[in-house]
Each structure stands twice: as C-alpha cells, then as structure tokens.
Amino acid sequence: MPVVSVCPLLSAIIPTQNAERHLVPVLAALVPAVTSGLLKDVVLADSGSSDDTAAIADEAGCVFLNSASDEGVRLRQGAMQARGQWLMFLSSRSLLSEGWAREVASFIETAERRGQGDRMAATFRLSVDGYGFGPRMNEAMAAARLALLGIPGPGQGLVISRRFYERLGGHQPGVRAHRRLVWRVGRRSLHALRARILLPEA
C-alpha cells in the first residue's frame, strides 16, 4: 500500500531523442511515486524527436520541452521547467526497480532532517538486462566505478536538491555534461541507494 510522502516534492527530468522504444515502461515505473504523492511532475527535454515520443509524453501527462540538441543545455532547461524542490535525472532507458519511490523518499527526508539537503545527492545501483558474462561484467564495473571513484554512469540516474544543483552551477553545455556535474557533486556527497535501475544491454 503506498505511503503518502511528507518529504519535499520531486521532479523527474529525462532527456529524449526518438525514445519511444523504451519510454513507456520507463514512465510506467514512475507511477508509484505519483500515487504516493512524491513525484510532482515529469519533464521530457527533447531534441527534435521524429517518432512518437511527443505523443507518449502527452498521453502520460508529462511536460514536453522542445529544446536544444546539446544535452547539457536540455537538462538544465528541464530542471528550470520542473516544479519540485528535488530533481531526479534519468536517461530515457532507465527503468527503475520496484520500491524505488519509498527509498528515494526516505533519502530525501533524512537529508532534509539532518540539514544536508544542500550537500547530499544520490544515485541508483545498476542492473543490465540480459544473460551471460557481458551484462554481469558491466554491472561489476559500474559498481566498482561508483565505489572507488563515486562516478555513476548517466543511466544510473541522479537525485539532487534544487539548492545543491544550483549551487553547483547545474548542467553545463558540452559533451559529458552529466558526468561533469557528478564530478562536482563529489564522492563524499553521493549516496548509493539500494534500489536499482535496469538498463537494456548495449
């Protein structure tokens, strides 16, 4: 049974470009956070999709933002458009596991209660869809990179307060904008949640 959240509201920002293939299950996984009162809105920052991405966004009640091709610019514009006090950046292929909303709500509530909302962020653990050695190796490498360097991949998502995001300068234009933001967050400020994100095998 969903638990009504009393923590500050969350917005999800997803950069898209011809994302219809993966977008429906990604958005469906966000529904529990909507029904629990945690997730306020979902912003799709699009770079000129020619498929049914816009139609899916409209059907799901998302904010659809026609933006630049530069992903850093799109993510920053998406954050500006979002209404939540906390921001969750996901890729258009990031499928959140069951129970993620409860854990994110707990993280946010704890950070706010301890007065650390302006200096703590969180990411999800990675699962890669598929069987065999390749997906398991990718998972192990992602876990090691996160543990040793504090660097999650773009597909692993980032949960960060708007205050912290703005203090860090947000996403900047240029390549690898998400990774450069995570570097500025810093390993000591990044918490690894138990909840997982499932990504399709590359």
Side-chain angles (χ1 to χ4, degrees):
M1 179 177 179
V3 176
V4 176
S5 173
V6 295
C7 72
L9 293 177
L10 176 73
S11 290
I13 299 100
I14 304 174
T16 55
Q17 183 179 30
N18 295 331
E20 66 174 5
R21 179 181 175 188
H22 301 287
L23 196 54
V24 171
V26 167
L27 294 178
L30 301 179
V31 171
V34 176
T35 57
S36 71
L38 172 65
L39 189 64
K40 187 172 184 64
D41 55 357
V42 178
V43 179
L44 302 188
D46 193 72
S47 64
S49 291
S50 58
D51 63 1
D52 286 335
T53 296
I56 293 171
D58 182 64
E59 183 70 22
C62 301
V63 176
F64 188 76
L65 180 64
N66 284 303
S67 187
S69 59
D70 185 294
E71 187 166 291
V73 173
R74 280 191 285 147
L75 288 168
R76 184 162 182 80
Q77 289 178 343
M80 293 173 63
Q81 186 78 21
R83 295 180 292 165
Q85 301 100 311
W86 281 74
L87 309 172
M88 180 171 67
F89 295 96
L90 300 171
S91 83
S92 60
R93 305 191 310 158
S94 297
L95 182 59
L96 288 162
S97 63
E98 186 177 354
W100 74 267
R102 187 181 299 272
E103 186 162 359
V104 167
S106 177
F107 166 75
I108 292 174
E109 289 166 356
T110 300
E112 294 287 359
R113 186 176 64 252
R114 294 178 178 175
Q116 298 176 330
D118 61 347
R119 58 182 183 274
M120 287 296 295
T123 189
F124 299 92
R125 300 182 190 275
L126 178 67
S127 291
V128 180
D129 196 15
Y131 299 98
F133 178 76
R136 304 294 79 77
M137 176 59 72
N138 288 338
E139 291 172 354
M141 291 175 62
R145 184 172 61 244
L146 183 58
L148 297 175
L149 302 176
I151 304 175
Q156 286 179 251
L158 181 69
V159 178
I160 186 170
S161 72
R162 184 180 296 277
R163 290 164 291 161
F164 195 15
Y165 180 77
E166 292 177 351
R167 183 160 65 84
L168 293 173
H171 288 93
Q172 299 297 310
V175 297
R176 297 185 177 179
H178 185 78
R179 176 165 291 191
R180 287 187 282 125
L181 174 62
V182 171
W183 271 110
R184 297 198 301 279
V185 170
R187 181 185 175 196
R188 292 185 178 181
S189 295
L190 189 65
H191 176 73
L193 301 169
R194 291 187 299 271
R196 289 184 172 271
I197 271 182
L198 178 66
L199 288 178
E201 187 176 5

